[in-house]
Amino acid sequence: MSRYDLAGRTVVITGSTGGLGSAVADALQRRGAHLALLGRDESALAAQADMLGGPRTAWAAHADVTDLLSLRSAIDRAADHFGRIDIVVANAGVNVVAPTATLDPDAFERVVDVNLTGVWRTFKAALPHIERQRGYLLAISSMAAFVHSPLQGPYTASKAGVWAMCNSIRLEVRHLGVDVGTLHPTFLKTPMMDAIHADPAGRRLWSGNERGLWRMCTVDKAVRSIVSGIERRAQTITAHRAHAIVAAAPGFFRPFVDRVGFTTRTITEASAASSPSGGPPPTSSTVSCEPEEQEGKAVRLSEGEPARRAP
């Protein structure tokens, strides 16, 4: 496959001021890409955009991946600014380290909302623009999608969910010329990892990530893998060759199932027949009436009971 030239293409990056996001933005800017930098810290975004060349090459906007309207507004304005959106890197993410017995439910829900649903919202908002350019969607997952550690239930669930969701979305959009990929980095020297090492639970769990299975990978190496993966419009991106084997194992039979089990005709017809709610359309048997609307109408009280007139 020929290399997907990044020069002149517009890339949307969520969480762009984070450790990995900022490194990816730097590398893509050096490849000649235009950058739409999205995040919640407006002052950090403005500084990042200035450092990367200002409005002609780097444009920044506030956006919250937990808010679909916020994402749509920012991505639409980015498309207006640059005239196109070619690539999306859904990078925003958070983490917690705690066992289920003591973890705050709000913390669990936030991790899933940002890491998993946030990717879905980002892709949802960007897809109309990506379709026009027959572009590429990339979600930042993790090796945690395949290797499930203790004390990280919401994180591993969200990252495995990102991987599975992107495999589904890829089937939905392949006939449109859109490609979808997932990145599966391991431990990186970023502010997120610093926070884990500052937490006694995280420090004990990973032993500082200094050696063995859990040793740290350099951000530079991860970024090289990301840029190369985008240029290949890859389905799965890892930083280490050994990790590629682990990542490939769960999906060994997936290409066969994708082609044989889900034909393009099946997918397009099912998509056309779907409703926005993702379920069957309401019928007269499932629509209820408020008491004041029931006068003169037949009302079924329960399954098998004859209809009667409302008093």
Side-chain angles (χ1 to χ4, degrees):
M1 181 179 178
S2 61
R3 187 173 68 92
Y4 187 51
D5 189 2
L6 300 179
R9 298 193 190 276
T10 300
V11 185
V12 170
I13 307 175
T14 64
S16 69
T17 60
L20 183 60
S22 60
V24 170
D26 290 347
L28 294 176
Q29 191 266 350
R30 291 195 296 271
R31 287 291 203 282
H34 297 150
L35 304 174
L37 309 168
L38 306 186
R40 296 192 302 164
D41 188 334
E42 296 186 48
S43 61
L45 287 167
Q48 183 183 32
D50 287 343
M51 184 183 68
L52 293 172
R56 292 185 60 184
T57 57
W59 176 92
H62 176 273
D64 185 341
V65 298
T66 67
D67 181 349
L68 180 58
L69 293 180
S70 168
L71 283 166
R72 277 181 169 155
S73 174
I75 291 173
D76 288 349
R77 287 186 288 126
D80 289 342
H81 181 79
F82 288 116
R84 60 194 292 170
I85 300 291
D86 300 275
I87 300 162
V88 169
V89 180
N91 170 70
V94 294
N95 192 12
V96 294
V97 181
T100 296
T102 59
L103 181 63
D104 186 328
D106 289 342
F108 181 100
E109 291 174 9
R110 173 162 173 73
V111 171
V112 174
D113 195 29
V114 172
N115 293 3
L116 175 57
T117 317
V119 171
W120 182 86
R121 293 187 190 100
T122 302
F123 284 3
K124 175 78 170 175
L127 194 54
H129 304 287
I130 293 293
E131 285 182 8
R132 282 194 284 272
Q133 300 303 131
R134 299 173 70 86
Y136 179 65
L137 299 167
L138 176 64
I140 307 304
S141 179
S142 169
M143 285 303 294
F146 314 118
V147 180
H148 306 142
S149 53
L151 280 74
Q152 291 194 294
Y155 186 78
T156 57
S158 66
K159 293 304 185 178
V162 165
W163 175 66
M165 180 177 68
C166 287
N167 290 336
S168 294
I169 295 173
R170 184 182 304 114
L171 298 177
E172 298 169 12
V173 298
R174 69 185 178 192
H175 67 288
L176 301 172
V178 174
D179 291 315
V180 182
T182 49
L183 170 71
H184 301 272
T186 184
F187 304 98
L188 303 175
K189 182 62 176 175
T190 63
M192 179 185 287
M193 205 67 226
D194 290 342
I196 288 177
H197 290 161
D199 177 3
R203 190 166 59 249
R204 179 66 185 87
L205 183 64
W206 301 116
S207 301
N209 299 103
E210 295 175 352
R211 63 183 66 86
L213 290 175
W214 317 131
R215 68 184 181 276
M216 201 84 72
C217 173
T218 67
V219 172
D220 287 346
K221 185 171 185 177
V223 169
R224 288 196 297 272
S225 298
I226 294 168
V227 173
S228 173
I230 294 174
E231 291 176 331
R232 292 180 288 112
R233 298 167 65 106
Q235 291 188 13
T236 307
I237 305 171
T238 59
H240 291 294
R241 185 171 298 177
H243 293 167
I245 298 172
V246 177
F252 184 77
F253 293 104
R254 198 185 71 241
F256 173 78
V257 175
D258 287 353
R259 290 294 172 187
V260 176
F262 303 106
T263 65
T264 297
R265 179 177 178 179
T266 298
I267 294 167
T268 55
E269 289 179 353
S271 298
S274 67
S275 68
S277 67
T283 64
S284 58
S285 62
T286 60
V287 176
S288 62
C289 298
E290 295 299 322
E292 62 268 23
E293 297 174 337
Q294 293 179 346
E295 184 175 355
K297 296 181 181 178
V299 179
R300 185 168 297 279
L301 298 179
S302 61
E303 187 66 24
E305 185 175 349
R308 62 173 175 79
R309 288 281 174 182

